[in-house]
Amino acid sequence: MTTAAAVHSADVALSHRAARVIPGGMYGHQAVRHLSPAYPQFFAGGEGALITDVDGREYVDLMCSWGPIVLGHRDPVVTAAARAQMDLGDCLDGPGPVLVDLAETMVDAIADADWILFGKNGTDATTACLTIARAHTSRSVILAARGVYHGAAPWCTPVPTGTLASDRAAMGYFDYNDVDDFDRAVQAAGPDLAGVLLTPFRHVEGEDQQLVDEDFARHVRQRCDDSDALLILDDVRCGFRLAYGGSWEALGVPVDLSAWSKAIANGYPLAAVTGREALRDTASTVFLTGSFWMNSTPMVAALATVRRLAEIDGVALMQRAGARLRAGIEAQAADCGLAIRYTGPDVMPYLTFAGDDDRSRMTCFAEAALAAGVYLHPKHNWFMSCAMDDSVVDRALRGTEIAFAAVRRHFGTP
């Protein structure tokens, strides 16, 4: 039998070297030590909808680098724009002219944006939203849905090792889409309610994804208005994938602040906060900064990305690819007699097996898919990109067909 070390010899060598100089060998959500040994830790490159690991194995990328890749790896338009800017300079003593170009473009594109601030990571953006909300209202409490991921700062990290109880002292929690529990949380916050932080849909590792109920969204908006509190949308994961002008644009439910990152620059490090006019003065008084926040190359990449998404109607392309993948996967599961749940929006789907409490079926599925050339995660939602045309989706489905057969072979049918 071929060992994992033999199959991933370059990856194993890099992992051994990393273990000597990096705690745990790798850290954060990209550490594959929590997954099967079949998963490669290191990658050599990407092109379109495909990625290649350091051992030369190619995969259809259903993770899109955990969300940032929206047009496709090394999109030629974005890459050319970024290279041109790098030839001019990137980290300078102040921002380049592209700062203004990008700010104007995004404010025009986003429904609830009258102004914009830039940062680097999603956590930068969500934390800035909380800071602005507290400064504007002179209140403390922010309400958020239980279990939903908002970043890796002490106030929100899902792994609270090394944090203090006081880091979350001004946070309150409620069950997503539960009006009664939300009202309870509002009542508990009382006159100290500064804002409510929501994601466009509920994504909690190991649990079915849940789209926001429109009536719930409207109820939250009304309670925020009644309390003179701010409604904050965490659009870091969903922005420019669910919709072009903001993920709640179609609901007709306005938000006061929005946090953005991931897809806005097609893999280049950038985040943003957008807000309505009434918050402009407050946003100008809050101190937000970072040594690399004004780098021009990510902003040029973002400008090219946002414009390109509009030109090609990227959201529609991803929705089409996601619908094709969903239909194929549901048909494959039915053909194998396997009961699955395929939840969330088509552009960010999540697969689980019925009765798979220990995730053994999903682990088997993911390992078999990986061996068949499809990179997906057994516990995290997947992502579609504009590079996923019919041929790519069909290639992915050939891999998932093999993966479903492996699950049936090892576990049988319910």
Side-chain angles (χ1 to χ4, degrees), residues 98-238:
V98 67
L99 171 74
V100 180
D101 294 336
L102 178 59
E104 290 173 341
T105 299
M106 290 191 67
V107 166
D108 286 345
I110 297 167
D112 295 318
D114 292 309
W115 51 263
I116 190 167
L117 302 171
F118 294 105
K120 269 289 170 280
N121 301 289
T123 303
D124 295 338
T126 54
T127 302
C129 284
L130 268 60
T131 304
I132 293 169
R134 286 168 171 152
H136 185 76
T137 62
S138 298
R139 301 172 187 172
S140 302
V141 177
I142 302 290
L143 301 182
R146 290 186 183 87
V148 174
Y149 183 78
H150 292 293
W155 67 268
C156 60
T157 175
V159 183
T161 304
T163 65
L164 304 174
S166 58
D167 292 326
R168 306 185 190 216
M171 297 296 298
Y173 302 97
F174 57 91
D175 290 335
Y176 198 92
N177 274 345
D178 188 326
V179 169
D180 292 338
D181 197 45
F182 174 73
D183 284 346
R184 176 207 53 77
V186 170
Q187 184 175 6
D192 201 25
L193 179 61
V196 178
L197 177 65
L198 275 172
T199 51
F201 67 90
R202 182 181 183 271
H203 41 76
V204 178
E205 186 173 289
E207 300 180 21
D208 290 348
Q209 296 186 146
Q210 187 179 7
L211 290 168
V212 72
D213 181 82
E214 185 173 339
D215 289 338
F216 178 74
R218 295 187 183 283
H219 182 79
V220 172
R221 174 73 271 176
Q222 186 60 56
R223 291 305 305 269
C224 285
D225 290 342
D226 294 343
S227 304
D228 290 326
L230 304 184
L231 176 53
I232 307 163
L233 187 67
D234 178 355
D235 225 352
V236 168
R237 186 175 302 203
C238 304

Side-chain angles (χ1 to χ4, degrees), residues 38-39 57-60 62 329 351 361-378 382 395-407:
Y39 272 80
R57 302 164 72 88
E58 188 177 77
Y59 311 89
V60 175
L62 291 185
I329 282 182
L351 172 66
R361 288 176 175 80
M362 193 60 210
T363 298
C364 175
F365 178 89
E367 289 180 355
L370 191 72
V374 182
Y375 190 93
L376 52 82
H377 198 282
W382 311 338
R395 179 173 171 176
L397 287 171
R398 288 194 291 273
T400 58
E401 184 175 26
I402 293 171
F404 278 121
V407 173

Side-chain angles (χ1 to χ4, degrees), residues 29-40 66 363 366-367 375-380:
H29 65 283
Q30 295 181 352
V32 299
R33 66 178 180 273
H34 305 301
L35 301 175
S36 159
Y39 272 80
W66 300 79
T363 298
E367 289 180 355
Y375 190 93
L376 52 82
H377 198 282
K379 298 179 182 180
H380 193 284

